[in-house]
Amino acid sequence: MKASYWLLSFVLAVPAAAAVAPGENVREIGRQWLADNDGVGLTVGVYDAGRSTFYNYGTTQLDGNQPPTKDTVYEIGAISKTFAGQLLARAVVEGRASLNDEVEKYLGAPYPNLANGSEKIRLLHLVNLTSQLADNIPDQTQVRTVPGEPLAATRMKVFGRYTQEQFLQQLHRVAPRLPPGSDAGQSNVAAMLLGVVLEKIYGESFDVTLAREIEKPLRLGSGTQPDAKLVAKGYTSANEALPPFTASIAWPAVALRYSADSLLRYATWQLVERDASVKLAHQPTWSTPDRQQSVAMFWIVSDSPRGRRLHYASGTYGFSSVVELYPESKLAIVALSNKAAAGAQDSLRALTAKIVEELRPEPVTSPTPADVPPAAR
């Protein structure tokens, strides 16, 4: 009884852990990035072994003095694809679909063009970047400049007016350049097609599924209808202000919008890999010949001195973003910027690499990577 009382007294006497102040070195890394890249605003979120810390720099728009916060909403670009891939992983785990399913099964009409030789496009090819489909339809290179309007804004309007019906019609004229599964390459068309497939699998619109399966359980803000008061203004490399990119057809590919707080919650959930669908989404299914990089469900996977590294970087017409996961190091980083510039994604990757080096200077023991199975045939 006395021992129990002593133990209880000791526990009660220990003060609650004080919030750890952001590392000044990490803060300086962000300051330097903003200066070196002529940035407008930047938010970095770090999950480090149980603690989340946010670093904010610059402003949410050029003609104001409002600094960003962890709740400022940015366009996350192609990181959106990992959300769509996660929804497919959940459907596979629940038995609603198989990665070996031919895409045509879910389109309600024959698409014999979605094949090269005897190899048809399967769901696996959509998520591991091996569909061999074109990057974009409609073709943005044909958009002409409108006087008084940034070309990027004009292209955004084209996407904003583009409907799923138009997409499915034009899809009849698209074909894989090589046999699906043979090589990896970016394709927004594949992710948009995945969005159509997911709506067939779940029997509802993409945004409804996204909210129920990911956003509400993780307490994220809405990636399709964020609070307009929290959305940062996006800028081209020439500092041209752009309207929000809200094209619903592109939600599964490039058009979701989240705050650093929401994106870091998502990244942390991915990091811990407790959910069976998350584990599936992280399983590599294609690898480079030298096996230095692999592709899972959109996630780029490699080994590093800090253990496995899963990452994705992207840019939209007015934003740049990156997310990095190091499961063995219990470290996740997101970086969001409201300016699109040449090399912005590479510079954000360099930024996160410096932060990783600062927070994890010593290597960790990483498990031997599993053999990468061939793409489904």
Side-chain angles (χ1 to χ4, degrees):
M1 187 71 175
K2 289 183 179 179
S4 298
Y5 178 80
W6 175 86
L7 179 60
L8 179 60
S9 299
F10 175 78
V11 171
L12 292 176
V14 176
V20 176
E24 190 55 36
N25 288 343
V26 175
R27 187 173 298 281
E28 182 57 32
I29 290 170
R31 289 196 195 102
Q32 194 62 51
W33 183 93
L34 198 69
D36 291 346
N37 292 275
D38 189 29
V40 178
L42 170 70
T43 299
V44 176
V46 177
Y47 174 87
D48 184 357
R51 293 183 182 274
S52 296
T53 307
F54 297 91
Y55 306 82
N56 299 285
Y57 314 87
T59 61
T60 58
Q61 59 185 57
L62 280 173
D63 57 351
N65 58 3
Q66 181 67 40
T69 72
K70 68 181 182 66
D71 299 315
T72 298
V73 174
Y74 297 79
E75 295 173 10
I76 67 167
I79 295 172
S80 304
K81 292 179 173 71
T82 70
F83 285 77
Q86 185 59 53
L87 292 178
L88 179 61
R90 176 65 57 82
V92 171
V93 167
E94 292 178 349
R96 298 170 181 256
S98 167
L99 290 176
N100 287 320
D101 287 344
E102 295 173 1
V103 170
E104 193 177 12
K105 171 183 177 180
Y106 299 94
L107 299 183
Y111 282 82
N113 55 297
L114 296 181
N116 186 299
S118 62
E119 188 61 46
K120 294 186 177 182
I121 297 178
R122 303 175 187 273
L123 298 187
L124 176 64
H125 302 138
L126 298 183
V127 295
N128 74 358
L129 308 181
T130 65
S131 71
Q132 291 298 314
L133 291 173
D135 192 9
N136 288 300
I137 55 172
D139 185 358
Q140 297 288 288
T141 64
Q142 303 302 312
V143 176
R144 298 180 179 179
T145 302
V146 174
E149 181 176 78
L151 179 59
T154 308
R155 288 175 171 170
M156 291 165 71
K157 288 181 180 179
V158 171
F159 258 120
R161 294 191 296 264
Y162 198 55
T163 66
Q164 187 177 108
E165 291 71 25
Q166 290 173 316
F167 173 74
L168 290 173
Q169 289 173 4
Q170 197 165 2
L171 189 65
H172 283 289
R173 300 191 292 274
V174 176
R177 293 157 293 194
L178 295 171
S182 60
D183 200 4
Q186 289 290 345
S187 173
N188 289 328
V189 173
M192 291 161 67
L193 181 53
L194 176 59
V196 175
V197 169
L198 288 170
E199 292 191 350
K200 293 291 185 180
I201 290 173
Y202 285 98
E204 59 194 10
S205 63
F206 176 82
D207 57 325
V208 172
T209 307
L210 177 66
R212 185 187 64 251
E213 299 293 332
I214 297 179
E215 291 175 343
K216 290 181 180 178
L218 298 182
R219 293 182 292 128
L220 312 185
S222 172
T224 59
Q225 300 291 333
D227 186 340
K229 298 189 297 297
L230 298 176
V231 178
K233 176 74 73 175
Y235 294 88
T236 67
S237 58
N239 286 332
E240 299 168 305
L242 297 176
F245 187 39
T246 60
S248 59
I249 187 69
W251 282 339
V254 293
L256 294 180
R257 297 178 288 166
Y258 289 108
S259 67
D261 181 64
S262 286
L263 190 57
L264 190 61
R265 287 174 185 267
Y266 170 73
T268 302
W269 176 56
Q270 294 284 315
L271 183 77
V272 298
E273 297 181 318
R274 290 177 186 152
D275 191 300
S277 64
V278 171
K279 292 179 181 178
L280 177 62
H282 291 182
Q283 177 62 47
T285 55
W286 183 90
S287 181
T288 56
D290 62 6
R291 303 181 68 81
Q292 293 302 301
Q293 284 199 117
S294 302
V295 183
M297 288 194 175
F298 293 112
W299 291 103
I300 309 301
V301 185
S302 61
D303 199 24
S304 82
R306 281 87 191 170
R308 278 179 304 144
R309 176 189 178 219
L310 295 93
H311 65 100
Y312 215 94
S314 180
T316 63
Y317 297 104
F319 291 79
S320 300
S321 54
V322 65
V323 58
E324 301 261 358
L325 310 176
Y326 294 86
E328 281 71 49
S329 289
K330 299 181 175 59
L331 181 67
I333 302 173
V334 302
L336 302 168
S337 168
N338 59 332
K339 184 174 181 178
Q345 295 172 48
D346 288 339
S347 68
L348 278 180
R349 276 192 287 258
L351 165 73
T352 57
K354 290 179 181 178
I355 294 174
V356 171
E357 183 69 31
E358 176 67 29
L359 298 177
R360 293 290 186 279
E362 299 297 327
V364 300
T365 301
S366 177
T368 303
D371 286 341
V372 178
R377 296 297 186 198

